[in-house]
Amino acid sequence: FRHPLVRSAVFHSAPPSERREAHRALAEALRDRDDAERLAWHLACAAIGVDEEAAVALEEAARKARERSGYAAAAAALERAASLTADEGARPRRLYAAADAALSAGRSENALALLTEPLAQKDPRLRAAGLRLQGRIEYLAGRPRQAGAVLVEASRLLEHIDPALAAEICTEAC
């Protein structure tokens, strides 16, 4: 459709099943082209529930977006990838990466919201990374005391696992 309003009207008047089918068809058409980011988003829009193929494609699209400093696009892609992820280990990792990208895009409140699940993990490395990011957000928000406490907590999680990184985080707390 030449006019964007006509295109939008047709798209929004179609039932969700037809929209997903259109996205699936577009994804298939893009498989032979060198447009991995558009392919990833069409796969994601065609997905219902979990879809690891779409999640992996979105993670790759996010990597490419970060390379060109497209942090907001990377955050959106990683957040959507996490929502499509069935693997309980990959989901919090993708949410952490989305939070990191959101902070780089200047969206600190969004980054904090994305950290909820990574901070609840038992994996000390992921939890420490999430705490470190939270500490940076607190510092940038003008709350150095809270930032220091969060960073010290992150450092303690790593002191027996990765002493060098723990010392680096402790230095950052100072």
Side-chain angles (χ1 to χ4, degrees):
F1 300 98
R2 288 181 185 249
H3 197 281
L5 291 177
V6 174
R7 181 173 49 238
S8 179
V10 170
F11 179 81
H12 290 291
S13 67
S17 60
E18 287 181 12
R19 285 189 231 163
R20 283 191 303 277
E21 191 58 41
H23 283 295
R24 248 188 300 290
L26 287 167
E28 287 306 315
L30 288 168
R31 285 194 191 277
D32 296 333
R33 295 188 179 181
D34 188 27
D35 199 349
E37 290 176 77
R38 284 180 57 201
L39 168 64
W41 280 107
H42 284 298
L43 286 172
C45 289
I48 299 177
V50 298
D51 186 331
E52 194 59 28
E53 178 191 9
V56 168
L58 283 168
E59 197 168 24
E60 178 60 21
R63 185 189 62 74
K64 289 180 180 180
R66 276 194 87 101
E67 286 176 357
R68 64 174 189 277
S69 300
Y71 302 114
L78 287 161
E79 185 175 4
R80 180 68 173 127
S83 74
L84 295 171
T85 301
D87 180 1
E88 293 300 319
R91 180 179 161 76
R93 180 183 51 78
R94 287 176 176 152
L95 285 170
Y96 167 77
D100 186 44
L103 180 59
S104 295
R107 298 177 176 171
S108 58
E109 292 303 317
N110 183 243
L112 275 176
L114 290 167
L115 281 175
T116 303
E117 194 172 321
L119 288 174
Q121 297 302 301
K122 292 183 180 177
D123 174 16
R125 288 187 184 275
L126 181 59
R127 184 163 158 62
L131 286 167
R132 187 179 193 186
L133 192 59
Q134 181 184 2
R136 289 176 177 166
I137 293 167
E138 294 290 349
Y139 182 78
L140 292 171
R143 297 184 291 268
R145 188 175 305 242
Q146 293 92 324
V150 169
L151 289 168
V152 167
E153 184 182 348
S155 177
R156 286 192 178 130
L157 283 171
L158 296 172
E159 63 188 358
H160 298 296
I161 300 168
D162 190 342
L165 182 56
E168 182 181 316
I169 295 171
C170 220
T171 302
E172 194 173 327
C174 291

